[in-house]
Amino acid sequence: MFENEKATMLRYALKLDHYGLIALSGGNLSWRMDESHVIVTPSGMIYDEMVPEDMLVVDMDGNIVEGTRKKSVDTEGLLYIFKHKPKVNAVIHTHQPYATGLGLVMDELPCNLSTMANGTEGPVAVAPYGDPGSLSMGVNACEAIGDRLAVVLKHHGVIAVGRDLRQALFACVYLEEAAKTISVALSTGLPMAEMTQEQIDEAIRVFHRYGQVTLDEMDAAEAAANN
């Protein structure tokens, strides 16, 4: 069941390691297949030791439909996000250090770079702490994320969402890139330049036309398929 998608999940999991967003077995990925099935990564396994068959298919109540591994301990919180964000099809949870670190001293990470606007579609809120492996992680993420594509979980990490794994990955990577840049700016002690809302909006619009298959084209194809 969903064999090609499991292989794709593993490729994206390895990208998290490649971009320095996780260490060892930290974080997880989940991908909605349809109204009843979500693929989740297994609990406590190092990504470069996984094979596609280690991925699990669960139903919306968290019951394992296919797979022999123990599911991610965050599955309950992840499913809460899918249930309450119907346009979200992919969730990536990381422990990326720069964004998480800024979340210890900020209530919101400002959108001061065009790439952050591209990836997260605006400033990123910091959600209150929720116990890892609990429903509260998903509840707090949903309440804080608004219409953005990422949220920082205080004392924990980052949740990024998207219509697919690619969009969620871009949100994670560009948020971390922005967090590093903001950290450099703050270290100078000088006032930090801000982007206007108009500049942020334009960066978002440009990114929707970015790439070989753009988000606008994907929207059009999805609309045609549903008519």
Short mmCIF file of all heavy atoms in Angstrom, two decimals, residues 47-100:
data_model
loop_
_atom_site.label_atom_id
_atom_site.label_comp_id
_atom_site.label_asym_id
_atom_site.label_seq_id
_atom_site.Cartn_x
_atom_site.Cartn_y
_atom_site.Cartn_z
N TYR A 47 17.30 8.06 10.38
CA TYR A 47 16.77 8.13 9.02
C TYR A 47 17.61 7.39 7.99
O TYR A 47 17.07 6.74 7.10
CB TYR A 47 16.58 9.60 8.61
CG TYR A 47 15.51 10.28 9.42
CD1 TYR A 47 15.83 11.04 10.54
CD2 TYR A 47 14.17 10.15 9.09
CE1 TYR A 47 14.85 11.65 11.30
CE2 TYR A 47 13.18 10.76 9.84
CZ TYR A 47 13.52 11.50 10.95
OH TYR A 47 12.56 12.10 11.72
N ASP A 48 18.94 7.49 8.11
CA ASP A 48 19.75 6.83 7.08
C ASP A 48 19.87 5.32 7.32
O ASP A 48 20.57 4.63 6.57
CB ASP A 48 21.12 7.48 6.93
CG ASP A 48 21.96 7.45 8.19
OD1 ASP A 48 21.58 6.75 9.15
OD2 ASP A 48 23.00 8.13 8.22
N GLU A 49 19.19 4.81 8.33
CA GLU A 49 19.11 3.37 8.55
C GLU A 49 17.73 2.82 8.17
O GLU A 49 17.49 1.62 8.28
CB GLU A 49 19.42 3.04 10.01
CG GLU A 49 20.85 3.39 10.42
CD GLU A 49 21.14 3.12 11.89
OE1 GLU A 49 20.19 2.73 12.62
OE2 GLU A 49 22.30 3.30 12.30
N MET A 50 16.83 3.69 7.72
CA MET A 50 15.48 3.27 7.36
C MET A 50 15.44 2.74 5.93
O MET A 50 16.26 3.08 5.09
CB MET A 50 14.50 4.44 7.45
CG MET A 50 14.17 4.92 8.83
SD MET A 50 12.91 6.24 8.71
CE MET A 50 13.03 6.97 10.34
N VAL A 51 14.41 1.95 5.67
CA VAL A 51 14.03 1.56 4.32
C VAL A 51 12.55 1.92 4.17
O VAL A 51 11.85 2.14 5.17
CB VAL A 51 14.24 0.05 4.07
CG1 VAL A 51 15.73 -0.28 4.13
CG2 VAL A 51 13.46 -0.79 5.06
N PRO A 52 12.04 2.03 2.94
CA PRO A 52 10.64 2.44 2.76
C PRO A 52 9.66 1.59 3.54
O PRO A 52 8.63 2.09 4.03
CB PRO A 52 10.44 2.31 1.25
CG PRO A 52 11.79 2.57 0.67
CD PRO A 52 12.75 1.94 1.63
N GLU A 53 9.96 0.30 3.70
CA GLU A 53 9.03 -0.59 4.40
C GLU A 53 8.91 -0.27 5.88
O GLU A 53 8.00 -0.77 6.56
CB GLU A 53 9.50 -2.05 4.22
CG GLU A 53 9.36 -2.58 2.81
CD GLU A 53 10.39 -2.03 1.86
OE1 GLU A 53 11.47 -1.57 2.33
OE2 GLU A 53 10.13 -2.02 0.63
N ASP A 54 9.81 0.57 6.40
CA ASP A 54 9.71 0.98 7.81
C ASP A 54 8.60 2.00 8.04
O ASP A 54 8.19 2.22 9.19
CB ASP A 54 11.04 1.56 8.29
CG ASP A 54 12.13 0.51 8.40
OD1 ASP A 54 11.81 -0.62 8.84
OD2 ASP A 54 13.29 0.80 8.04
N MET A 55 8.14 2.65 6.97
CA MET A 55 7.05 3.62 7.10
C MET A 55 5.76 2.90 7.48
O MET A 55 5.55 1.73 7.13
CB MET A 55 6.85 4.39 5.79
CG MET A 55 8.10 5.07 5.26
SD MET A 55 8.75 6.30 6.39
CE MET A 55 10.37 6.59 5.67
N LEU A 56 4.89 3.61 8.20
CA LEU A 56 3.63 3.03 8.62
C LEU A 56 2.46 3.77 8.00
O LEU A 56 2.51 5.00 7.85
CB LEU A 56 3.50 3.07 10.15
CG LEU A 56 4.55 2.27 10.91
CD1 LEU A 56 5.57 3.22 11.51
CD2 LEU A 56 3.93 1.41 11.97
N VAL A 57 1.42 3.04 7.66
CA VAL A 57 0.16 3.64 7.24
C VAL A 57 -0.80 3.54 8.41
O VAL A 57 -1.00 2.46 8.97
CB VAL A 57 -0.42 2.91 6.01
CG1 VAL A 57 -1.75 3.55 5.60
CG2 VAL A 57 0.57 2.94 4.84
N VAL A 58 -1.36 4.68 8.80
CA VAL A 58 -2.32 4.70 9.90
C VAL A 58 -3.63 5.29 9.41
O VAL A 58 -3.68 6.02 8.41
CB VAL A 58 -1.80 5.50 11.11
CG1 VAL A 58 -0.50 4.92 11.63
CG2 VAL A 58 -1.62 6.98 10.76
N ASP A 59 -4.72 4.97 10.13
CA ASP A 59 -5.98 5.63 9.82
C ASP A 59 -6.09 6.91 10.64
O ASP A 59 -5.17 7.26 11.41
CB ASP A 59 -7.18 4.69 10.05
CG ASP A 59 -7.35 4.27 11.51
OD1 ASP A 59 -6.85 4.97 12.42
OD2 ASP A 59 -8.02 3.24 11.75
N MET A 60 -7.17 7.63 10.48
CA MET A 60 -7.29 8.94 11.12
C MET A 60 -7.49 8.85 12.64
O MET A 60 -7.47 9.86 13.33
CB MET A 60 -8.42 9.74 10.48
CG MET A 60 -8.18 10.09 9.02
SD MET A 60 -6.60 10.97 8.73
CE MET A 60 -6.96 12.56 9.48
N ASP A 61 -7.65 7.65 13.15
CA ASP A 61 -7.70 7.43 14.59
C ASP A 61 -6.37 6.95 15.14
O ASP A 61 -6.25 6.68 16.34
CB ASP A 61 -8.80 6.43 14.95
CG ASP A 61 -10.20 6.96 14.64
OD1 ASP A 61 -10.44 8.15 14.91
OD2 ASP A 61 -11.03 6.19 14.13
N GLY A 62 -5.38 6.82 14.26
CA GLY A 62 -4.06 6.41 14.70
C GLY A 62 -3.84 4.91 14.72
O GLY A 62 -2.76 4.45 15.14
N ASN A 63 -4.81 4.14 14.26
CA ASN A 63 -4.64 2.69 14.20
C ASN A 63 -3.72 2.33 13.03
O ASN A 63 -3.85 2.89 11.94
CB ASN A 63 -5.99 1.99 14.00
CG ASN A 63 -6.95 2.30 15.13
OD1 ASN A 63 -6.64 2.10 16.30
ND2 ASN A 63 -8.13 2.81 14.78
N ILE A 64 -2.80 1.41 13.26
CA ILE A 64 -1.88 0.99 12.21
C ILE A 64 -2.62 0.12 11.20
O ILE A 64 -3.18 -0.92 11.55
CB ILE A 64 -0.68 0.24 12.79
CG1 ILE A 64 0.16 1.18 13.68
CG2 ILE A 64 0.20 -0.33 11.67
CD1 ILE A 64 1.30 0.50 14.39
N VAL A 65 -2.63 0.56 9.95
CA VAL A 65 -3.25 -0.19 8.86
C VAL A 65 -2.24 -1.10 8.20
O VAL A 65 -2.55 -2.22 7.79
CB VAL A 65 -3.87 0.78 7.83
CG1 VAL A 65 -4.43 0.04 6.63
CG2 VAL A 65 -4.93 1.65 8.48
N GLU A 66 -1.00 -0.60 8.10
CA GLU A 66 0.06 -1.39 7.48
C GLU A 66 1.39 -0.98 8.08
O GLU A 66 1.65 0.20 8.31
CB GLU A 66 0.08 -1.16 5.98
CG GLU A 66 1.11 -2.00 5.24
CD GLU A 66 1.03 -1.80 3.74
OE1 GLU A 66 1.55 -0.79 3.24
OE2 GLU A 66 0.43 -2.66 3.07
N GLY A 67 2.23 -1.95 8.37
CA GLY A 67 3.56 -1.70 8.92
C GLY A 67 3.81 -2.48 10.19
O GLY A 67 2.87 -2.81 10.92
N THR A 68 5.07 -2.78 10.43
CA THR A 68 5.43 -3.59 11.59
C THR A 68 6.18 -2.80 12.66
O THR A 68 6.41 -3.30 13.75
CB THR A 68 6.30 -4.78 11.16
OG1 THR A 68 7.49 -4.28 10.53
CG2 THR A 68 5.55 -5.67 10.18
N ARG A 69 6.56 -1.58 12.34
CA ARG A 69 7.30 -0.76 13.29
C ARG A 69 6.35 -0.05 14.26
O ARG A 69 5.13 0.00 14.04
CB ARG A 69 8.13 0.28 12.55
CG ARG A 69 9.19 -0.28 11.62
CD ARG A 69 10.26 -1.01 12.38
NE ARG A 69 11.36 -1.40 11.50
CZ ARG A 69 12.45 -2.05 11.91
NH1 ARG A 69 12.58 -2.39 13.19
NH2 ARG A 69 13.39 -2.38 11.04
N LYS A 70 6.92 0.51 15.31
CA LYS A 70 6.16 1.36 16.21
C LYS A 70 6.02 2.73 15.56
O LYS A 70 7.00 3.30 15.08
CB LYS A 70 6.90 1.47 17.55
CG LYS A 70 6.20 2.33 18.59
CD LYS A 70 7.04 2.39 19.87
CE LYS A 70 6.41 3.32 20.89
NZ LYS A 70 7.25 3.43 22.12
N LYS A 71 4.82 3.27 15.52
CA LYS A 71 4.59 4.56 14.87
C LYS A 71 5.20 5.69 15.68
O LYS A 71 5.47 5.55 16.88
CB LYS A 71 3.08 4.79 14.69
CG LYS A 71 2.33 4.93 16.00
CD LYS A 71 0.83 4.89 15.79
CE LYS A 71 0.10 4.94 17.14
NZ LYS A 71 -1.35 4.76 17.01
N SER A 72 5.41 6.83 15.04
CA SER A 72 5.93 8.01 15.72
C SER A 72 5.12 8.31 16.97
O SER A 72 3.88 8.23 16.96
CB SER A 72 5.89 9.22 14.78
OG SER A 72 6.16 10.41 15.50
N VAL A 73 5.81 8.69 18.03
CA VAL A 73 5.10 9.00 19.28
C VAL A 73 4.25 10.26 19.13
O VAL A 73 3.36 10.51 19.94
CB VAL A 73 6.09 9.18 20.45
CG1 VAL A 73 6.80 7.88 20.75
CG2 VAL A 73 7.08 10.30 20.17
N ASP A 74 4.52 11.05 18.08
CA ASP A 74 3.77 12.29 17.86
C ASP A 74 2.53 12.08 16.99
O ASP A 74 1.86 13.05 16.63
CB ASP A 74 4.66 13.34 17.19
CG ASP A 74 5.77 13.83 18.09
OD1 ASP A 74 5.56 13.87 19.32
OD2 ASP A 74 6.85 14.18 17.58
N THR A 75 2.21 10.84 16.65
CA THR A 75 1.13 10.57 15.70
C THR A 75 -0.18 11.21 16.12
O THR A 75 -0.90 11.78 15.28
CB THR A 75 0.95 9.05 15.52
OG1 THR A 75 2.15 8.49 14.97
CG2 THR A 75 -0.20 8.76 14.57
N GLU A 76 -0.53 11.16 17.39
CA GLU A 76 -1.80 11.74 17.83
C GLU A 76 -1.86 13.23 17.53
O GLU A 76 -2.86 13.74 17.01
CB GLU A 76 -2.00 11.50 19.33
CG GLU A 76 -3.33 12.01 19.86
CD GLU A 76 -3.51 11.78 21.36
OE1 GLU A 76 -2.48 11.61 22.06
OE2 GLU A 76 -4.66 11.78 21.83
N GLY A 77 -0.79 13.95 17.83
CA GLY A 77 -0.75 15.38 17.56
C GLY A 77 -0.74 15.68 16.07
O GLY A 77 -1.37 16.65 15.62
N LEU A 78 -0.04 14.86 15.29
CA LEU A 78 0.02 15.07 13.85
C LEU A 78 -1.36 14.88 13.22
O LEU A 78 -1.78 15.66 12.34
CB LEU A 78 1.02 14.10 13.22
CG LEU A 78 2.47 14.22 13.71
CD1 LEU A 78 3.30 13.07 13.18
CD2 LEU A 78 3.06 15.56 13.32
N LEU A 79 -2.07 13.85 13.64
CA LEU A 79 -3.41 13.60 13.10
C LEU A 79 -4.36 14.73 13.47
O LEU A 79 -5.27 15.05 12.69
CB LEU A 79 -3.93 12.26 13.60
CG LEU A 79 -3.20 11.02 13.06
CD1 LEU A 79 -3.75 9.76 13.70
CD2 LEU A 79 -3.30 10.93 11.55
N TYR A 80 -4.16 15.32 14.64
CA TYR A 80 -4.99 16.48 15.01
C TYR A 80 -4.83 17.60 13.99
O TYR A 80 -5.80 18.25 13.59
CB TYR A 80 -4.61 16.97 16.41
CG TYR A 80 -5.46 18.12 16.90
CD1 TYR A 80 -6.60 17.89 17.65
CD2 TYR A 80 -5.13 19.45 16.60
CE1 TYR A 80 -7.39 18.95 18.10
CE2 TYR A 80 -5.90 20.50 17.04
CZ TYR A 80 -7.04 20.25 17.79
OH TYR A 80 -7.82 21.30 18.22
N ILE A 81 -3.59 17.82 13.56
CA ILE A 81 -3.35 18.86 12.55
C ILE A 81 -4.06 18.53 11.25
O ILE A 81 -4.74 19.39 10.66
CB ILE A 81 -1.83 19.02 12.32
CG1 ILE A 81 -1.14 19.50 13.60
CG2 ILE A 81 -1.57 20.00 11.17
CD1 ILE A 81 0.37 19.51 13.53
N PHE A 82 -3.96 17.30 10.79
CA PHE A 82 -4.64 16.91 9.55
C PHE A 82 -6.15 17.07 9.67
O PHE A 82 -6.81 17.51 8.72
CB PHE A 82 -4.30 15.47 9.19
CG PHE A 82 -2.92 15.28 8.64
CD1 PHE A 82 -2.00 14.46 9.28
CD2 PHE A 82 -2.51 15.92 7.47
CE1 PHE A 82 -0.73 14.28 8.78
CE2 PHE A 82 -1.24 15.75 6.96
CZ PHE A 82 -0.34 14.93 7.62
N LYS A 83 -6.70 16.72 10.81
CA LYS A 83 -8.15 16.81 11.00
C LYS A 83 -8.63 18.25 11.02
O LYS A 83 -9.75 18.55 10.60
CB LYS A 83 -8.55 16.11 12.30
CG LYS A 83 -8.41 14.59 12.27
CD LYS A 83 -8.70 14.00 13.64
CE LYS A 83 -8.51 12.49 13.65
NZ LYS A 83 -8.71 11.90 15.00
N HIS A 84 -7.81 19.16 11.52
CA HIS A 84 -8.23 20.55 11.68
C HIS A 84 -7.68 21.48 10.61
O HIS A 84 -8.01 22.67 10.60
CB HIS A 84 -7.85 21.05 13.07
CG HIS A 84 -8.64 20.40 14.17
ND1 HIS A 84 -8.33 19.15 14.68
CD2 HIS A 84 -9.75 20.81 14.84
CE1 HIS A 84 -9.20 18.83 15.61
NE2 HIS A 84 -10.07 19.80 15.73
N LYS A 85 -6.85 20.96 9.72
CA LYS A 85 -6.31 21.75 8.61
C LYS A 85 -6.54 20.96 7.32
O LYS A 85 -5.62 20.30 6.80
CB LYS A 85 -4.81 22.02 8.82
CG LYS A 85 -4.48 22.91 10.00
CD LYS A 85 -4.79 24.36 9.69
CE LYS A 85 -4.39 25.27 10.82
NZ LYS A 85 -4.69 26.70 10.53
N PRO A 86 -7.75 21.00 6.77
CA PRO A 86 -8.07 20.14 5.62
C PRO A 86 -7.23 20.41 4.37
O PRO A 86 -7.10 19.52 3.52
CB PRO A 86 -9.55 20.45 5.36
CG PRO A 86 -9.83 21.73 6.06
CD PRO A 86 -8.90 21.79 7.22
N LYS A 87 -6.64 21.59 4.24
CA LYS A 87 -5.81 21.87 3.08
C LYS A 87 -4.37 21.38 3.25
O LYS A 87 -3.58 21.41 2.31
CB LYS A 87 -5.80 23.38 2.79
CG LYS A 87 -7.16 23.91 2.33
CD LYS A 87 -7.08 25.38 1.96
CE LYS A 87 -8.42 25.91 1.47
NZ LYS A 87 -8.35 27.35 1.10
N VAL A 88 -4.04 20.95 4.46
CA VAL A 88 -2.70 20.43 4.73
C VAL A 88 -2.64 18.95 4.39
O VAL A 88 -3.44 18.16 4.89
CB VAL A 88 -2.32 20.66 6.21
CG1 VAL A 88 -1.08 19.86 6.59
CG2 VAL A 88 -2.10 22.14 6.48
N ASN A 89 -1.67 18.58 3.57
CA ASN A 89 -1.48 17.17 3.22
C ASN A 89 -0.15 16.61 3.71
O ASN A 89 0.07 15.39 3.64
CB ASN A 89 -1.57 16.98 1.70
CG ASN A 89 -2.97 17.19 1.17
OD1 ASN A 89 -3.94 16.76 1.80
ND2 ASN A 89 -3.09 17.87 0.05
N ALA A 90 0.73 17.49 4.18
CA ALA A 90 2.03 17.03 4.67
C ALA A 90 2.43 17.83 5.90
O ALA A 90 2.21 19.06 5.95
CB ALA A 90 3.09 17.17 3.59
N VAL A 91 3.00 17.16 6.88
CA VAL A 91 3.51 17.80 8.09
C VAL A 91 4.92 17.30 8.32
O VAL A 91 5.18 16.09 8.31
CB VAL A 91 2.64 17.48 9.32
CG1 VAL A 91 3.23 18.14 10.57
CG2 VAL A 91 1.20 17.92 9.12
N ILE A 92 5.84 18.23 8.51
CA ILE A 92 7.21 17.89 8.86
C ILE A 92 7.52 18.51 10.21
O ILE A 92 7.33 19.72 10.42
CB ILE A 92 8.22 18.38 7.80
CG1 ILE A 92 7.98 17.67 6.46
CG2 ILE A 92 9.65 18.14 8.28
CD1 ILE A 92 8.91 18.14 5.34
N HIS A 93 8.00 17.69 11.13
CA HIS A 93 8.39 18.16 12.46
C HIS A 93 9.89 18.00 12.61
O HIS A 93 10.43 16.91 12.38
CB HIS A 93 7.65 17.37 13.54
CG HIS A 93 8.18 17.59 14.92
ND1 HIS A 93 8.46 18.85 15.42
CD2 HIS A 93 8.49 16.72 15.92
CE1 HIS A 93 8.90 18.75 16.65
NE2 HIS A 93 8.94 17.46 16.97
N THR A 94 10.59 19.08 12.94
CA THR A 94 12.04 19.06 13.09
C THR A 94 12.43 19.60 14.46
O THR A 94 11.61 20.18 15.18
CB THR A 94 12.73 19.94 12.03
OG1 THR A 94 12.49 21.32 12.35
CG2 THR A 94 12.20 19.63 10.63
N HIS A 95 13.71 19.45 14.77
CA HIS A 95 14.29 20.07 15.96
C HIS A 95 15.36 21.07 15.53
O HIS A 95 16.39 21.20 16.20
CB HIS A 95 14.87 19.00 16.88
CG HIS A 95 13.85 18.06 17.42
ND1 HIS A 95 14.16 16.81 17.93
CD2 HIS A 95 12.50 18.16 17.54
CE1 HIS A 95 13.06 16.19 18.34
NE2 HIS A 95 12.04 16.99 18.10
N GLN A 96 15.12 21.79 14.46
CA GLN A 96 16.12 22.69 13.88
C GLN A 96 16.54 23.75 14.90
O GLN A 96 15.70 24.43 15.49
CB GLN A 96 15.59 23.30 12.59
CG GLN A 96 14.25 24.00 12.69
CD GLN A 96 13.62 24.18 11.31
OE1 GLN A 96 13.05 23.25 10.76
NE2 GLN A 96 13.73 25.38 10.75
N PRO A 97 17.85 23.91 15.13
CA PRO A 97 18.32 24.65 16.29
C PRO A 97 18.14 26.17 16.24
O PRO A 97 17.85 26.78 17.27
CB PRO A 97 19.80 24.29 16.37
CG PRO A 97 20.17 23.82 15.00
CD PRO A 97 18.94 23.18 14.45
N TYR A 98 18.32 26.79 15.08
CA TYR A 98 18.26 28.25 15.06
C TYR A 98 16.84 28.77 15.26
O TYR A 98 16.60 29.67 16.08
CB TYR A 98 18.86 28.79 13.76
CG TYR A 98 20.37 28.82 13.79
CD1 TYR A 98 21.10 27.69 13.41
CD2 TYR A 98 21.06 29.94 14.21
CE1 TYR A 98 22.49 27.70 13.43
CE2 TYR A 98 22.45 29.96 14.24
CZ TYR A 98 23.17 28.83 13.86
OH TYR A 98 24.54 28.84 13.90
N ALA A 99 15.88 28.22 14.53
CA ALA A 99 14.49 28.65 14.71
C ALA A 99 14.00 28.32 16.11
O ALA A 99 13.32 29.12 16.76
CB ALA A 99 13.60 27.99 13.67
N THR A 100 14.35 27.13 16.61
CA THR A 100 13.94 26.74 17.96
C THR A 100 14.59 27.64 19.00
O THR A 100 13.96 28.04 19.99
CB THR A 100 14.32 25.27 18.23
OG1 THR A 100 13.78 24.45 17.19
CG2 THR A 100 13.77 24.80 19.56
#
